[in-house]
């Protein structure tokens, strides 16, 4: 099988760089997800891997050999497109057979593989229908089938679930996971949905403006975001960010103050920062506890009661908005003043601009981050 | 083909795909266009370029020199002037009448009427007919013992030799070409009318706008870009009219309905000696006219809708 | 339902009844119907009349023939006449034989008793009958079959080549990024500005040099690369998603295969429109064939019609029938495909 490496890969369209100096390596059998907001270059990277887009500079290597100039057809990858891109004038069976016919596979072998794939994806009952006659989910399965039937060295998925309704999306997520487990092939997956990334990936690469922000296992990204951007991107609801100032640096952490609020202690290494330096305090909505008696003052502005959990929107002090996520049902009302406490383990400190590296949490060093 | 792609590379494939088309364009459009000038600047009755002497602008001066420009008989090539004059008159009358008819018809067909589709197809049908067929259909009705004269006789009027009288022949040439082409313009105008959003009219209704005001203040201004395209297209086509008029009247009686393309055809291909140079020079004159009109069309196309 | 009614009547103007403008519109359309339909109807009706009937003035609307009846004791059927008898009544009699200005007539049921009648006193009894003979004669004439074959060959060949060559070019212009693409596109659209009418002489030279004079190819090739066709197909192909082509590339399809197996089938609606145009263009073509085809065994139907109608001793009966046959394929195309044609024209402004 194959290890895929990107060495200093850059892509320019005219004078704009859409992918800048990307370095990474994807291991055999891995489920690797590129995630990032739209326009971050994730699809371009995938298309360069596929051979649909040329590489402006740098190298894409398989097992150490550069494949920059290899045509898409000879790379042995299969791709599932966002719009499915099933050939609308062919039946599902013909769609599956097309690629195999192109490489001169013998008829009996084609038939055998189609049968096998159809069984795996449970599309046997509509093999002889045109894509138009299929539902969204069925089309998606057929599109995956077209990739599976080729028995490729690697699967490339370009936002394959974004055209499905939310329920189906969850089902297909699990299904793709199952297929990955069954086939064991390397799968490279592009999405803008961090939930998809978190739930499916072995490793995630977060991209912004064509650059790698962080690569790591899903929980690494959640627990130890390399910077404020990653912290804000991974996790739902978003991490809260408050402006703060370093008050005191201790051996096992840093004490910061948000204006008008009691000091907060965070388990982080201040690095080169000094007391008095401005920082951004990141608080996961789950890190906040509503409690009786003592704590920080919080004014409720709105609540969303979802039954199994509740979201509380409000202000810590004037201008410091916060979202709080609580398990179960929290009986608070608009305008109510409540007390909250913060869990230091789920608080993070960042240098003030979003791209700059985070302050490392103390207890969990050494970190695995982008700079491998 | 796959082997070919291996040989030339994927990047060269689009050029390969363009090649047949461009060879045809080059040989049958661009090359002749260039040669047009060569012919126009050479004399003699030989087709082969090597045996044609260079005579400079003599063809043009022969075409364009007149004693008195208002009187074709004083021109060196009076037929050219006659056909040019006929063409201009033909185009002015035909285009004006045709655009008016097309506009009226399109406005009516855009109304909420029964059997609209049927009427639309009906008015469009002659557009598909060949000019020769169109001419013969009408020639058959315009014969001395034809159906028109039978009607006249019914109401007590003596039969008329429609195609032997210069004025009547010209009239019928115009009418027949309108009959044959009007449907095309109706279709374009109708498409333009249907592109006007319905809610504009609903807004106008809310403002208690009268019918006439709706037509003049909403419909026509919004349709103007399409109308402009139609006018220019009709002009471009009108200037090149040949087939139906040639079969209907043969350019006659005399040269009453001889148009510019017929002059080119007859000068270059139907009379001895074949004056290729003169025909090409007349073609160049026609080309200048057409290029002007085409540029006008491109301009009309680019015109913003909300004007 | 009630609100729907008021909505419709509001669109119509006054409530319920038709506005006067509706009446004017219908009147206009009825006149238009007659103006558009009558000439063609008259042609078709006339084409079924015998040469003799075509000389009638004023002509009858429907083609007719004289009624003939069986008469006992007679081998042939005899023509039936309305005869005005001396007492002023009109009766139907058959003509046994005619001598000069008198005819020997009899009642059909008693052929033995004959009466002499002046031929001014009788009118033939007629019935509507279509004379298929005009058409039969055409199909028996080798000339007509030859012209029809030339027209069909030129039209079919030309359509195939137009579709192939133009779709290849449109494919390249719509689905590839390459240096010089917009130049190539502008160049091919620019040929719209070179109608054949302005390059007749040099085009004649080119066709002559290529040895194509008096061959169908002299018509087919110059008309094969149509800017309108490239434009129409390119516009349509732009709507085919690029992902589909990428999917095919990953499926190891060559560029040619992508064209042939993916793009061409998907562009079928646009190809159909262009095919109709191409058929109509070539079938109706006149001026250029008039110049290139001078030998009458190479004539197309259009040229044959033109040359027949110019002959002094022309037979209108065969010209009319031939005109109808020339019109027929186009009428069929129109009837079955008019929807495509009309939307095609409305969307592109091409004819």
């Amino acid at each position: 099988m194959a290890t895929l490496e990107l060495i200093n890969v850059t892509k320019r369209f005219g004078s704009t760089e859409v992918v800048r100096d990307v370095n990474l390596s994807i291991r055999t059998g891995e489920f690797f997800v590129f995630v990032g907001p739209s326009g971050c270059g994730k699809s371009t990277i995938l298309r360069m891997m596929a051979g649909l887009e040329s590489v402006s500079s740098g190298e894409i290597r398989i097992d150490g050999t550069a494949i920059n100039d290899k045509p898409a057809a000879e790379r042995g990858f299969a791709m599932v497109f966002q719009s499915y891109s099933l050939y609308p004038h062919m039946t599902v069976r013909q769609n599956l057979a097309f690629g195999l016919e192109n490489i001169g596979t013998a008829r009996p072998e084609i038939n055998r593989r189609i049968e096998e794939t159809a069984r795996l994806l449970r599309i046997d009952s509509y093999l002889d229908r045109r894509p138009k006659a299929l539902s969204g989910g069925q089309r998606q399965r057929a599109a995956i089938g077209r990739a599976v039937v080729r028995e490729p060295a690697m699967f490339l998925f370009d936002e394959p679930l974004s055209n499905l309704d939310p329920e189906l999306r969850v089902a297909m997520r699990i299904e793709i996971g199952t297929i990955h487990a069954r086939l064991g092939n390397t799968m490279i997956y592009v999405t803008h949905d961090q939930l998809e990334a978190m739930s499916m990936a072995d490793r995630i690469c977060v991209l912004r403006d064509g650059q790698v922000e962080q690569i790591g296992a899903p929980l690494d990204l959640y627990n130890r975001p390399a910077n404020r951007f990653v912290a804000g991107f991974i996790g739902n609801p978003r991490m809260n960010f408050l402006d703060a100032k370093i008050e005191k640096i201790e051996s096992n952490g840093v004490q910061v103050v948000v204006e008008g609020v009691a000091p907060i202690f965070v388990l982080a290494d201040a690095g080169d920062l000094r007391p008095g330096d401005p920082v951004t305090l990141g608080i996961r909505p789950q890190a906040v506890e509503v409690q009786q008696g003592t704590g920080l003052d919080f004014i409720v502005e709105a609540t969303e009661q979802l039954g199994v959990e509740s979201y509380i929107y409000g202000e810590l002090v004037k201008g410091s908005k916060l979202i709080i996520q609580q398990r179960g049902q929290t009986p608070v009302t608009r305008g109510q003043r409540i007390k909250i406490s913060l869990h230091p383990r789920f608080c993070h400190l960042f240098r003030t601009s979003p791209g700059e590296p985070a302050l490392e949490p103390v207890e969990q060093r050494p970190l695995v981050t982008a700079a491998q | 083909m796959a082997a070919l792609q291996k040989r030339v590379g994927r990047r060269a494939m689009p050029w390969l795909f363009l090649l047949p088309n461009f060879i045809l364009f080059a040989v049958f459009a661009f090359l002749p266009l260039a040669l047009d000038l060569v012919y126009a600047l050479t004399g003699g009755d030989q087709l082969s370029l090597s045996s044609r002497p260079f005579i400079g602008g003599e063809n043009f001066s022969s075409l364009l020199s007149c004693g008195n420009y208002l009187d074709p008989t004083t021109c060196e090539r009076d037929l050219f002037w006659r056909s040019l004059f006929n063409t201009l008159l033909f185009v002015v009358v035909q285009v004006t009448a045709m655009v008016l008819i097309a506009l009226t018809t399109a406005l009516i067909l855009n109304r909420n009427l029964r059997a609209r589709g049927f009427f639309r197809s009906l008015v469009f049908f002659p557009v598909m007919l060949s000019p020769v067929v169109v001419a013969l259909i009408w020639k058959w009705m315009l014969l001395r013992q034809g159906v028109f004269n039978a009607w006249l006789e019914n109401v007590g009027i003596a039969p008329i030799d429609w195609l032997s009288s210069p004025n009547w022949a010209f009239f019928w040439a115009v009418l027949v070409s309108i009959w044959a082409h009007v449907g095309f313009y109706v279709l374009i105008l109708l498409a333009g009318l249907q592109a006007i959003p319905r809610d504009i009219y609903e807004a106008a209704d809310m403002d208690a706008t009268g019918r006439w005001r709706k037509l003049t203040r909403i419909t026509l201004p919004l349709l103007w870009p399409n109308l402009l395209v139609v006018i220019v297209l009709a002009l471009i086509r009108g200037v090149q009219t040949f087939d139906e008029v040639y079969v209907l009247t043969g350019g006659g009686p005399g040269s009453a309905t001889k148009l510019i393309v017929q002059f080119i055809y007859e000068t270059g291909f139907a009379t001895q000696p074949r004056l290729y140079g003169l025909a090409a020079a007349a073609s160049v004159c026609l080309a200048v006219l057409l290029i002007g009109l085409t540029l006008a069309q491109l301009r009309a196309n680019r015109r913003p809708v909300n004007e | 339902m009630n609100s729907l009614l008021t909505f419709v009547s509001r669109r119509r103007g006054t409530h319920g009844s038709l506005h006067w403008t509706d009446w004017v519109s219908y009147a206009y359309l009825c006149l238009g119907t007659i103006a558009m339909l009558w000439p063609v109807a008259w042609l078709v009706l006339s084409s079924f009349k015998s040469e003799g009937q075509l000389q009638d003035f004023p002509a009858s609307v429907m083609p007719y023939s004289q009624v003939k009846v069986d008469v006992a004791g007679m081998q042939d059927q005899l023509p039936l006449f309305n005869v005005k008898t001396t007492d002023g009544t009109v009766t139907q009699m058959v003509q046994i034989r005619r001598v000069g200005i008198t005819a020997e007539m009899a009642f059909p049921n008693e052929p033995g008793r004959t009466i002499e009648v002046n031929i001014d006193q009788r009118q033939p009894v007629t019935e509507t009958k279509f004379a298929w003979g005009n058409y039969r004669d055409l199909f028996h004439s080798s000339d007509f079959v030859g012209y029809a074959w030339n027209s069909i060959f030129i039209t079919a060949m030309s359509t195939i080549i137009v579709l192939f060559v133009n779709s290849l070019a449109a494919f390249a212009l719509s689905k590839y990024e390459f240096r010089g693409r917009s130049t190539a596109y502008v160049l091919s659209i620019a040929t719209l500005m070179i109608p054949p009418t302005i390059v007749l002489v040099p085009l004649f030279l080119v066709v002559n040099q290529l040895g194509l004079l008096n061959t169908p190819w002299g018509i087919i090739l110059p008309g094969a690369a149509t800017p309108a066709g490239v434009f129409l197909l390119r516009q349509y192909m732009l709507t085919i998603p690029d992902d589909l082509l990428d999917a095919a590339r990953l499926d190891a399809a060559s560029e040619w295969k992508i064209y042939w197996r993916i793009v061409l089938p998907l562009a079928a609606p646009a190809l159909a429109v262009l095919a109709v145009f191409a058929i109509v263009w070539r079938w109706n073509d006149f001026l250029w064939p008039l110049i290139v085809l001078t030998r009458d065994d190479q004539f197309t139907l259009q040229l044959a019609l033109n040359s027949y109608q110019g002959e002094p001793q022309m037979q209108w009966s065969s010209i009319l029938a031939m005109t109808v046959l020339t019109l027929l394929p186009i009428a069929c195309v129109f009837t079955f495909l008019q929807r495509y044609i009309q939307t095609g024209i409305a969307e592109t402004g091409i004819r």
Side-chain angles (χ1 to χ4, degrees):
Chain A
M1 291 291 261
T3 318
L4 184 74
E5 285 173 295
L6 269 59
I7 315 284
N8 299 328
V9 168
T10 297
K11 175 69 184 177
R12 280 179 290 269
F13 289 119
S15 60
T16 49
E17 281 189 339
V18 290
V19 172
R20 218 173 312 159
D21 224 6
V22 169
N23 286 286
L24 54 86
S25 107
I26 295 167
R27 294 187 282 269
T28 304
E30 193 170 25
F31 199 114
F32 193 92
V33 176
F34 287 96
V35 69
S38 61
C40 70
K42 53 192 189 296
S43 286
T44 310
I45 292 180
L46 195 74
R47 292 171 60 82
M48 284 192 286
M49 290 176 176
L52 297 172
E53 211 73 77
S54 63
V55 179
S56 302
S57 67
E59 269 185 6
I60 296 178
R61 294 183 187 162
I62 292 182
D63 292 337
T65 334
I67 55 162
N68 287 23
D69 297 325
K70 217 171 186 182
E74 293 168 25
R75 296 191 185 189
F77 297 171
M79 186 154 164
V80 179
F81 293 82
Q82 176 173 5
S83 49
Y84 316 139
S85 294
L86 292 166
Y87 310 121
H89 55 302
M90 301 182 190
T91 63
V92 173
R93 188 188 299 279
Q94 287 165 333
N95 263 283
L96 263 53
F98 186 69
L100 296 175
E101 286 165 8
N102 288 340
I103 51 175
T105 312
R107 230 329 108 181
E109 171 69 3
I110 293 181
N111 291 339
R112 188 189 64 75
R113 286 212 218 167
I114 290 179
E115 293 309 322
E116 204 171 275
T117 308
R119 226 173 304 122
L120 175 72
L121 285 156
R122 302 197 306 282
I123 54 176
D124 2 19
S125 56
Y126 43 85
L127 269 181
D128 292 311
R129 284 203 223 151
R130 296 263 172 99
K132 221 179 171 168
L134 304 182
S135 71
Q138 291 171 331
R139 279 182 215 182
Q140 185 58 67
R141 261 188 244 281
I144 295 174
R146 189 175 61 182
V148 169
V149 81
R150 298 265 320 274
E151 298 181 357
M154 250 173 236
F155 285 97
L156 309 176
F157 292 90
D158 189 2
E159 307 224 15
L161 304 185
S162 56
N163 285 348
L164 297 178
D165 57 55
E167 236 172 285
L168 212 48
R169 208 177 294 170
V170 176
M172 283 309 295
R173 238 157 51 195
I174 295 166
E175 189 136 357
I176 293 175
T178 316
I179 295 168
H180 180 233
R182 280 275 299 274
L183 301 178
N185 298 38
T186 310
M187 291 190 174
I188 302 173
Y189 191 103
V190 159
T191 179
H192 63 271
D193 180 356
Q194 58 92 22
L195 188 62
E196 248 169 53
M198 294 292 285
S199 58
M200 299 170 81
D202 291 329
R203 280 197 304 152
I204 298 176
C205 170
V206 182
L207 289 164
R208 184 172 62 127
D209 293 341
Q211 281 181 303
V212 174
E213 295 285 331
Q214 188 172 4
I215 298 175
L219 287 181
D220 279 347
L221 301 193
Y222 185 84
N223 293 330
R224 280 165 290 171
N227 54 40
R228 187 174 150 183
F229 174 78
V230 175
F233 195 81
I234 301 287
N236 186 44
R238 278 186 88 222
M239 183 184 274
N240 297 292
F241 293 110
L242 300 177
D243 291 330
K245 210 170 256 167
I246 295 182
E247 193 180 59
K248 207 158 61 182
I249 298 175
E250 293 174 17
S251 61
N252 65 336
V254 179
Q255 180 148 319
V256 297
V257 280
V258 176
E259 217 182 292
V261 183
I264 296 162
F265 189 75
V266 183
L267 301 171
D269 182 349
D272 53 348
L273 293 181
R274 299 274 150 262
D277 284 349
V279 287
T280 301
L281 172 65
I283 307 164
R284 295 247 180 238
Q286 302 84 348
V288 186
E289 202 74 57
V290 176
Q291 58 187 33
Q292 310 294 323
T294 60
L296 306 174
D297 282 325
F298 185 82
I299 303 167
V300 178
E301 286 176 343
T303 66
E304 288 174 1
Q305 298 290 341
L306 303 180
V308 65
E309 57 189 3
S310 44
Y311 300 107
I312 306 169
Y313 302 82
E315 273 183 346
L316 202 51
V317 289
K318 270 266 169 278
S320 301
K321 302 267 184 200
L322 217 59
I323 306 173
I324 301 172
Q325 186 183 8
Q326 294 291 296
R327 291 170 148 278
Q329 301 163 14
T330 320
V332 294
T333 52
R334 181 190 305 256
Q336 191 180 341
R337 280 171 170 277
I338 55 175
K339 297 284 184 191
I340 59 169
S341 68
L342 306 178
H343 201 302
R345 243 188 76 98
F346 295 115
C347 290
H348 302 259
L349 283 183
F350 306 96
R351 290 178 173 83
T352 38
S353 80
E356 281 185 85
L359 304 188
E360 290 175 6
V362 273
E363 35 165 18
Q364 287 148 336
R365 277 186 296 173
L367 284 183
V368 184
T369 53
Q372 285 186 328
Chain B
M1 269 319 218
L4 184 66
Q5 183 175 332
K6 271 241 158 64
R7 279 272 292 278
V8 303
R10 204 170 81 78
R11 289 168 170 280
M13 290 308 284
W15 289 107
L16 221 57
F17 293 151
L18 278 175
L19 199 61
N21 210 58
F22 268 78
I23 290 176
L24 291 171
F25 274 149
V27 174
F28 295 113
F30 293 116
L31 177 66
L33 194 64
L35 289 180
D36 229 354
L37 276 175
V38 177
Y39 273 100
L41 299 176
T42 53
D45 58 358
Q46 295 298 307
L47 184 62
S48 135
L49 287 171
S50 52
S51 42
R52 294 179 61 83
F54 180 80
I55 55 166
E58 218 170 275
N59 283 320
F60 288 101
S61 64
S62 157
L63 275 183
L64 300 175
S65 66
C66 275
N68 170 4
Y69 282 97
L70 293 178
D71 179 8
T73 50
T74 64
C75 295
E76 193 179 329
R77 299 284 170 186
D78 62 321
L79 275 182
F80 175 73
W81 283 99
R82 271 180 218 278
S83 61
L84 194 63
F85 177 74
N86 285 341
T87 306
L88 293 182
L89 184 67
F90 178 89
V91 165
V92 169
V93 178
Q94 191 241 17
V95 171
T96 313
M98 184 161 67
V99 169
L100 285 178
I101 295 174
L103 181 62
T104 314
T105 313
L107 284 172
I108 286 179
L109 287 180
N110 192 41
R111 293 171 62 102
N112 204 0
L113 299 173
R114 262 173 239 286
R116 262 176 12 170
F118 167 75
F119 288 121
R120 197 181 55 198
S121 299
L122 199 70
V123 80
F124 180 71
F125 176 61
V127 174
M128 306 280 293
L129 297 181
S130 88
V132 178
V133 166
V134 168
L136 286 176
I137 286 175
W138 284 87
K139 194 166 188 172
W140 169 239
M141 296 197 297
L142 294 169
L143 288 180
R144 199 180 155 76
Q145 76 276 25
V147 68
F148 279 121
N149 278 332
W151 289 338
L152 286 188
E153 180 144 298
N154 265 346
V155 293
I157 300 175
I160 300 171
D161 265 335
W162 301 108
L163 298 177
S164 310
S165 135
N167 288 340
W168 278 118
F170 197 85
F171 169 81
W172 287 111
V174 170
L175 192 112
V176 168
S177 80
I178 291 177
W179 184 83
H181 300 301
V182 72
F184 175 68
Y185 301 99
V186 169
L187 220 59
I188 293 185
L189 288 178
L190 202 54
L193 283 172
Q194 279 164 359
I196 300 176
R198 187 127 293 174
D199 52 5
I200 294 187
Y201 289 105
E202 287 167 358
D205 281 337
M206 299 301 286
D207 290 341
T209 318
R211 281 163 177 278
W212 180 251
R213 238 174 114 70
K214 257 193 266 182
L215 176 67
T216 54
R217 302 298 295 276
I218 298 176
T219 308
L220 290 183
L222 288 175
L223 190 64
W224 179 240
N226 297 64
L227 208 53
L228 212 59
V229 169
V230 161
I231 292 171
V232 178
L233 267 181
L235 285 172
I236 292 175
R237 299 259 166 79
V239 169
Q240 298 182 71
T241 306
F242 168 74
D243 304 6
E244 63 263 36
V245 177
Y246 177 74
V247 178
L248 186 70
T249 68
S255 56
T257 56
K258 187 175 294 213
L259 302 179
I260 183 87
V261 174
Q262 189 180 348
F263 172 81
I264 296 171
Y265 165 67
E266 285 179 346
T267 310
F269 304 100
T271 50
Q272 291 294 342
R274 293 182 158 200
L275 298 175
Y276 295 119
L278 205 63
S283 292
V284 171
C285 295
L286 178 61
V288 169
L289 201 60
L290 284 173
I291 287 171
L293 287 170
T294 309
L295 290 178
Q297 182 201 10
L298 290 179
R299 257 203 125 111
N301 268 333
R302 211 173 295 145
R303 204 127 172 164
V305 182
N306 48 353
E307 213 182 23
Chain C
M1 193 59 215
N2 210 354
S3 62
L4 185 75
L5 258 176
T6 43
F7 175 74
V8 170
S9 58
R10 192 171 62 227
R11 282 268 319 139
R12 285 271 169 80
T14 56
H15 291 267
S17 68
L18 294 178
H19 190 262
W20 65 268
T21 54
D22 289 307
W23 293 112
V24 173
S25 302
Y26 279 118
Y28 178 92
L29 289 176
C30 286
L31 276 176
T33 306
I34 295 170
M36 296 327 260
L37 218 48
W38 173 251
V40 180
W42 184 243
L43 166 79
V44 175
L45 288 174
S46 302
S47 73
F48 286 102
K49 293 175 182 171
S50 66
E51 190 64 30
Q53 281 175 55
L54 291 175
Q55 303 300 329
D56 285 355
F57 183 83
S60 68
V61 174
M62 301 300 288
Y64 62 85
S65 73
Q66 187 165 18
V67 178
K68 293 187 173 178
V69 292
D70 287 316
V71 177
M74 295 289 168
Q75 203 162 16
D76 298 324
Q77 292 189 316
L78 297 180
L80 194 63
F81 287 86
N82 282 320
V83 178
K84 200 192 264 175
T85 51
T86 40
D87 58 358
T89 57
V90 176
T91 51
Q92 288 199 339
M93 300 179 83
V94 292
Q95 173 180 286
I96 310 284
R97 71 175 69 84
R98 180 180 153 185
V99 186
I101 58 160
T102 56
E104 207 171 290
M105 313 285 289
F107 289 101
N109 47 359
E110 35 185 338
R113 217 187 66 178
T114 61
I115 311 171
E116 303 243 313
V117 177
N118 187 303
I119 59 168
D120 290 344
Q121 298 298 311
R122 48 166 220 169
Q123 282 288 325
V125 174
T126 59
E127 62 183 353
T128 298
K129 196 168 174 202
F130 292 88
W132 290 96
N134 294 341
Y135 291 93
R136 217 167 21 237
D137 293 349
L138 273 185
F139 281 109
H140 287 138
S141 102
S142 60
D143 285 353
F144 171 79
V145 175
Y147 303 143
W149 166 247
N150 291 340
S151 271
I152 291 169
F153 179 78
I154 287 176
T155 306
M157 256 344 210
S158 169
T159 304
I160 292 169
I161 293 177
V162 163
L163 289 181
F164 178 66
V165 170
N166 289 5
S167 65
L168 261 184
F171 173 52
L173 290 172
S174 63
K175 287 294 162 210
Y176 291 93
E177 296 276 353
F178 56 92
R179 194 182 284 275
R181 182 178 74 162
S182 47
T183 317
Y185 181 55
V186 169
L187 220 56
S188 52
I189 293 305
T191 49
L192 268 178
M193 312 241 291
I194 316 177
T197 47
I198 64 173
V199 289
L200 291 176
V201 173
L203 198 52
F204 184 72
L205 169 81
V206 169
V207 167
N208 186 34
Q209 291 293 317
L210 294 174
L212 301 177
L213 281 192
N214 274 313
T215 68
W217 297 102
I219 311 298
I220 295 168
L221 290 179
T226 63
V230 174
F231 175 75
L232 189 149
L233 291 176
R234 176 178 173 271
Q235 292 305 93
Y236 192 86
M237 287 180 185
L238 285 175
T239 67
I240 298 175
D242 290 341
D243 276 357
L244 227 44
L245 277 64
D246 285 341
R249 280 184 193 120
L250 283 166
D251 269 345
S254 66
E255 300 304 308
W256 167 261
K257 196 157 201 169
I258 289 173
Y259 161 75
W260 188 249
R261 291 284 307 275
I262 309 289
V263 172
L264 219 47
L266 290 177
L271 288 172
V273 172
L274 180 59
V276 173
F277 282 140
I279 290 170
V280 174
W281 287 333
R282 279 311 141 248
W283 185 264
N284 290 347
D285 214 359
F286 180 62
L287 174 58
W288 185 242
L290 186 64
I291 291 172
V292 173
L293 307 177
T294 51
R295 282 213 331 257
D296 76 351
D297 62 323
Q298 292 292 336
F299 274 9
T300 61
L301 283 173
Q302 314 288 346
L303 292 184
L305 277 175
N306 176 54
S307 89
Y308 275 27
Q309 66 100 23
E311 278 173 23
Q313 73 281 19
M314 59 173 171
Q315 293 248 322
W316 270 103
S317 57
S318 63
I319 290 183
L320 292 174
M322 198 155 141
T323 308
V324 171
L325 288 177
T326 307
L327 170 159
L328 208 57
I330 297 294
C332 291
V333 166
F334 177 78
T335 316
F336 294 116
L337 302 172
Q338 54 147 322
R339 226 194 163 78
Y340 293 105
I341 303 165
Q342 293 190 23
T343 38
I345 287 178
E347 276 166 15
T348 59
I350 291 168
R351 183 177 73 187

